[in-house]
Amino acid sequence: MIIRPATLEDAERINALCRSLGYHADLDQTAVQLERIMKQERDTLFVAEICDLVVGFITLHTVDVVHDDMPWGRISAIVVDDNFRDMSIGKQLLDHAEQYLKHRRCMRIEVTSHISREEAHGFYLHLGYRITPMRFIKLLAHRVLVAAS
């Protein structure tokens, strides 16, 4: 397995992996978002690849905060294809992310995970992350679904 920066050619597999978690972005939107991430110096997306097949990805962000002299790292997404979950790909992606964010001088890493993803929570706890339950979210925009004609 190799872990490498994502390219636009990975959009189809990234889209399929997102859909496997219940996210319904279309392929064109995934490509647009991937391109945005690739252009941002503080954001990156790595893919895990086996035999030319993208089997997982992780999205990382570096954030400056006013109350600390070192940036914080954030993992906003980590997904591994169900068919490859017993191969420690998630752990390898997380290890890669930690090294990448250490290289960027980050003091800590935050991982976001939906409250319903209990298997993922156990995964993070097993790897030394701890739960910090107070996080407040307010939606500023609502998605409008338009039926295709």
Side-chain angles (χ1 to χ4, degrees):
M1 183 188 78
I2 64 166
I3 296 176
R4 61 169 175 78
T7 67
L8 285 177
E9 289 76 31
D10 299 319
E12 188 172 344
R13 278 297 293 159
I14 290 169
N15 181 267
L17 289 165
C18 288
R19 287 178 166 276
S20 75
L21 288 185
Y23 297 108
H24 299 291
D26 66 21
L27 180 56
D28 291 336
Q29 184 61 37
T30 298
V32 167
Q33 289 302 102
L34 178 57
E35 190 169 24
R36 277 189 192 149
I37 290 169
M38 291 168 47
K39 288 180 180 178
Q40 298 296 322
E41 181 182 331
R42 295 187 159 265
D43 301 333
T44 193
L45 193 150
F46 291 105
V47 296
E49 187 178 78
I50 297 175
C51 298
D52 296 325
L53 177 66
V54 171
V55 297
F57 74 87
I58 190 165
T59 309
L60 308 174
H61 314 277
T62 306
V63 181
D64 283 322
V65 293
V66 71
H67 55 281
D68 206 328
D69 64 345
M70 296 173 76
W72 292 6
R74 175 169 288 153
I75 298 170
S76 62
I78 180 171
V79 185
V80 176
D81 186 308
D82 284 338
N83 298 312
F84 295 86
R85 289 239 170 116
D86 292 335
M87 299 176 65
S88 78
I89 292 166
K91 181 180 182 324
Q92 291 177 65
L93 281 166
L94 207 54
D95 288 345
H96 189 84
E98 289 176 10
Q99 290 307 309
Y100 176 84
L101 292 169
K102 279 181 188 177
H103 180 72
R104 296 192 56 98
R105 300 187 57 250
C106 291
M107 176 192 164
R108 66 188 241 176
I109 300 174
E110 296 179 340
V111 178
T112 57
S113 181
H114 192 274
I115 195 166
S116 67
R117 301 196 194 284
E118 293 179 11
E119 186 177 336
H121 305 162
F123 169 74
Y124 297 124
L125 290 169
H126 178 73
L127 294 175
Y129 288 75
R130 62 183 175 91
I131 297 173
T132 56
M134 297 305 270
R135 182 174 179 157
F136 302 92
I137 296 173
K138 180 178 183 179
L139 295 178
L140 299 177
H142 298 283
R143 292 191 174 116
V144 178
L145 299 177
V146 178
S149 38

